[in-house]
Amino acid sequence: MAKAAPAEQLKLLELQGLDAKLKSLANRRRTLETDPRITDLRDALSVANGSLGTAKLAVHDAETELRRSEADVEQVASRIERDEARLNSGTGLSKDLVALQSDIASLNKRRSDLEDVELEILERLDGLRERQAAQQQIVDDIQGSFSGIRAELDAAIAEIVAEETDVRAQRTGFAEGLDAGMLAIYEKTLAKRGVGAARLFHGKSEGSGMTLSPGDLAEVKAAAEDEIVFCPDSGCILVRSAEWN
């Protein structure tokens, strides 16, 4: 059976306290790292960016349509200008000038129709741009919320990491002064059971929270003081003391 002086075994409770502190800090850090607000905001941002992309594409298509419409109006206006110049010059046969007047009238009607189309596109484009701006504001708001919460969480995580570093350094220094054989058993038990050592207090194992059966308790009490004994329920090392019995 593994053995260690009772005073050495008592030190395991302090070591366990440091390990419990490290476990608590790790759990707190994990909770912060998986904060559901971040996941929710990421999902919301993804949806908002998708809607913003759709809005931008609609604006781009309308702007392209507007440029084509403006080009059509400009082309017809140029033809009208050329035809009016020819008409005003008075050169050519009478029938040709009459035909030219008819063409100019048709072109003016065509320009009016194209300008109506251009105006409709402009009005639609204004609405699309407003929709894009509103969607951009939604994205900016979500990103602002995300940045604020991310900064808050990062600051809290940084504090925990600093505390973990300090506690781990304390643990390392403390463990160096323990009986090597006992420490090896403790480390193995901690890795396997999650708890390395706990008090046996008035017949109750603080490792399992259970009161030992009369038979188990009799076996533990019968063991030598320097013998390392284990909790029958949790499997951790039971640290005994005459004042706890």
Side-chain angles (χ1 to χ4, degrees):
M1 296 290 278
K3 295 187 176 184
E8 279 294 296
Q9 292 189 43
L10 281 171
K11 293 178 182 177
L12 289 178
L13 296 179
E14 186 172 346
L15 183 62
Q16 178 60 60
L18 292 171
D19 283 328
K21 179 67 172 177
L22 287 172
K23 184 177 181 179
S24 174
L25 289 169
N27 288 338
R28 284 170 54 195
R29 175 165 46 81
R30 196 175 303 111
T31 298
L32 291 172
E33 290 170 345
T34 57
D35 191 304
R37 293 177 297 171
I38 291 296
T39 302
D40 292 344
L41 284 171
R42 280 202 183 106
D43 291 344
L45 188 58
S46 176
V47 172
N49 275 324
S51 297
L52 178 59
T54 300
K56 286 181 176 180
L57 182 60
V59 169
H60 176 271
D61 290 346
E63 288 174 340
T64 300
E65 187 179 358
L66 178 62
R67 285 192 293 271
R68 286 198 298 265
S69 179
E70 289 172 339
D72 289 343
V73 171
E74 184 177 350
Q75 184 179 26
V76 172
S78 296
R79 282 192 57 190
I80 291 173
E81 185 177 350
R82 288 196 304 271
D83 287 354
E84 286 180 340
R86 286 177 56 196
L87 182 63
N88 293 333
S89 69
T91 58
L93 299 175
S94 176
K95 65 176 183 177
D96 291 336
L97 295 177
V98 171
L100 198 56
Q101 286 179 322
S102 177
D103 287 344
I104 291 173
S106 296
L107 287 171
N108 277 320
K109 176 64 170 60
R110 173 63 175 160
R111 180 169 65 177
S112 177
D113 292 341
L114 289 173
E115 286 175 342
D116 287 343
V117 171
E118 182 181 359
L119 181 60
E120 183 275 326
I121 296 172
L122 276 170
E123 291 175 348
R124 179 156 44 89
L125 182 57
D126 286 342
L128 291 172
R129 283 171 173 164
E130 287 178 3
R131 189 177 306 169
Q132 177 184 332
Q135 191 60 41
Q136 182 67 61
Q137 186 60 55
I138 291 173
V139 170
D140 292 345
D141 289 345
I142 295 174
Q143 286 178 330
S145 297
F146 180 89
S147 298
I149 294 173
R150 184 71 269 173
E152 171 193 327
L153 293 174
D154 287 345
I157 290 171
E159 289 182 6
I160 291 174
V161 169
E163 190 173 356
E164 282 180 314
T165 301
D166 182 57
V167 175
R168 196 169 287 111
Q170 293 179 46
R171 186 197 192 280
T172 299
F174 185 77
E176 288 174 352
L178 298 180
D179 178 86
M182 180 188 70
L183 178 62
I185 295 172
Y186 170 87
E187 297 286 18
K188 183 177 180 179
T189 304
L190 178 67
K192 185 177 181 180
R193 305 292 185 178
V195 177
R199 289 195 308 174
L200 175 62
F201 190 75
H202 297 310
K204 182 178 181 179
S205 167
E206 294 187 345
S208 66
M210 302 288 291
T211 298
L212 271 63
S213 69
D216 289 334
L217 188 58
E219 287 184 18
V220 170
K221 287 185 175 182
E225 288 185 352
D226 63 350
E227 189 175 322
I228 295 177
V229 297
F230 298 88
C231 171
D233 296 307
S234 68
C236 72
I237 297 170
L238 279 180
V239 179
R240 296 160 290 158
S241 171
E243 64 188 71
W244 301 337
N245 293 327

